[in-house]
Amino acid sequence: MRIRFVAAAIALSIFSVVACTSKEEKEKKKAADKKVRVKEDDKADSLLLVYDKKNEDKWIAEFVENLHKRYGFNGNALVARKGKIIYQGAKGWADYLHRDSLKINSEFELASITKTFTGVAILQLVEQGKLNLNDNVKKFFPDFPYDGITIKLLLTHRSGMMNYVYFIDDIWRKEKRDMKKGITNEEVMKVIAERKPSPYVKPDNRFHYNNSNYMVLGAIIEKVTGMRYSQYMAENIFKPAGMKNTHVYSKAEYEKIPVDVVGHDKIWKYSVAQNFLDGPVGDKGIYSTLHDLVLYDKYLRNERLLSNKSLDSAYVGRNKPVNGHFNYGYGWRMFDGKNMDKVVYHTGWWHGFRHIYVRDLDKDIIVIFLGNLTNGSLMHLDDLYKYLKMPVIRKGAYSGSGSLPGSDED
């Protein structure tokens, strides 16, 4: 009798294990299926991007025209609400020297908006078990000269590192190195290991926004996957999200970046030439369009790119709020306030490009301004935010303790 009981218990245990395993496998398959692109996606995407100028929001159209004429905004702009584009427009020149006009599908260097993609890629690798947020950089680069810097600290700009852009630029100029040929992330990591530049502060001491954090993350992505950053992004983010006009262009891979939009610095006569600092990627280096950024929002929301659990963690402020509302998570800036909308966004500023990409998660609103003339025009968006009944995404619009407005911007 006892033998039968034991046998039955063993059989039940085996059945339970098999059932649980089967359930886990089904859940994994379900999650995997959700990440696979199907034919119906193309049709749904094309409907999402339909825009009839006759039905444009007249107030927003007038606002953008005024921003262009009065404040000098030169670039492309789009506003979408609840899955519908209510305004889009291209204002001004793609290349002032050759008098080429911008088109609605023009590709812009996204500058630091790239950091949101790098954050997504890192969290994908965490989901796959290839990385842990507490992994030390030395695990991947043993010669890295700083102790105690983890992936999490890089994501949240708490590593305390110096900004490699100024450090490398100084070396290249003093040693009269080739200023045209792009350098790779791995080459920057080697220079940091050899020269051991002094850090800004100790790790996890404070929030200090700088490009070094995401350049190192780009290097880690390449090390862990055995793929170039451009390959990983194409296969794991751009293609699954149907972003057919989004690419990583590095001067380390291209002698000339194959896009027509040129960055201009303040006055039209000066177009910003690409140089060796356009080689490292992860902190910048992704080129995209208005419409592809709408698709990026869509496929973040529907878990094609990341699970909601991972996204929720990315959208949590990991630093002391600035002016009571502004913070930084895993690759995203954010606005967070009691009884106010949850907004995630990122700005961008690099070699004549100036952008802002805003996603109001509660009202399902996207606001995108991609500019190729560096000026202060994007500091004049308050009325647009108010018209859309969303928070004003500008630190100076709020009072409270914190860093000076703009001191931690790109």
Side-chain angles (χ1 to χ4, degrees), residues 8 28 61 79 101 103 137 177 228 262-263 267 359 366 384 406:
K28 286 182 180 178
V79 179
S101 296
K103 302 174 181 62
V137 176
R177 300 196 187 189
R228 293 195 304 271
V262 176
I267 56 174
R359 303 168 59 222
I366 309 168
L384 174 61

Side-chain angles (χ1 to χ4, degrees), residues 124-271:
Q124 285 181 339
L125 294 172
V126 170
E127 286 187 346
Q128 295 165 24
K130 296 178 180 178
L131 287 178
N132 187 292
L133 291 178
N134 294 315
D135 283 340
N136 194 295
V137 176
K138 285 179 178 287
K139 176 179 178 180
F140 313 100
F141 296 93
D143 294 334
F144 190 66
Y146 312 115
D147 294 320
I149 295 180
T150 63
I151 288 175
K152 183 176 181 179
L153 294 183
L154 295 172
L155 283 170
T156 54
H157 292 289
R158 298 186 65 85
S159 73
M161 288 181 68
M162 78 303 152
N163 192 328
Y164 85 92
V165 172
Y166 306 122
F167 169 68
I168 294 292
D169 184 65
D170 188 55
I171 292 174
W172 257 240
R173 291 181 187 280
K174 285 181 178 178
E175 299 182 2
K176 297 181 179 179
R177 300 196 187 189
D178 188 346
M179 304 286 282
K180 292 184 178 180
K181 180 177 173 55
I183 56 176
T184 65
N185 292 53
E186 186 176 5
E187 287 171 331
V188 176
M189 294 297 284
K190 286 180 180 178
V191 173
I192 291 174
E194 292 168 1
R195 304 293 181 103
K196 301 177 177 57
S198 298
Y200 181 74
V201 292
K202 292 181 179 179
D204 207 18
N205 178 275
R206 56 162 288 189
F207 175 77
H208 173 57
Y209 181 94
N210 84 72
N211 288 324
S212 293
N213 297 306
Y214 279 74
M215 181 282 298
V216 175
L217 289 172
I220 290 173
I221 289 169
E222 293 185 327
K223 193 85 167 184
V224 169
T225 64
M227 303 168 71
R228 293 195 304 271
Y229 179 88
S230 56
Q231 292 175 303
Y232 182 87
M233 290 292 164
E235 293 298 323
N236 295 279
I237 296 181
F238 307 157
K239 287 181 181 179
M243 300 171 70
K244 299 174 183 177
N245 298 300
T246 302
H247 310 87
V248 176
Y249 290 134
S250 162
K251 280 282 285 181
E253 293 184 41
Y254 293 84
E255 185 175 345
K256 184 180 185 303
I257 305 298
V259 297
D260 299 324
V261 182
V262 176
H264 303 82
D265 194 4
K266 294 183 181 178
I267 56 174
W268 278 117
K269 293 179 181 178
Y270 180 51
S271 59

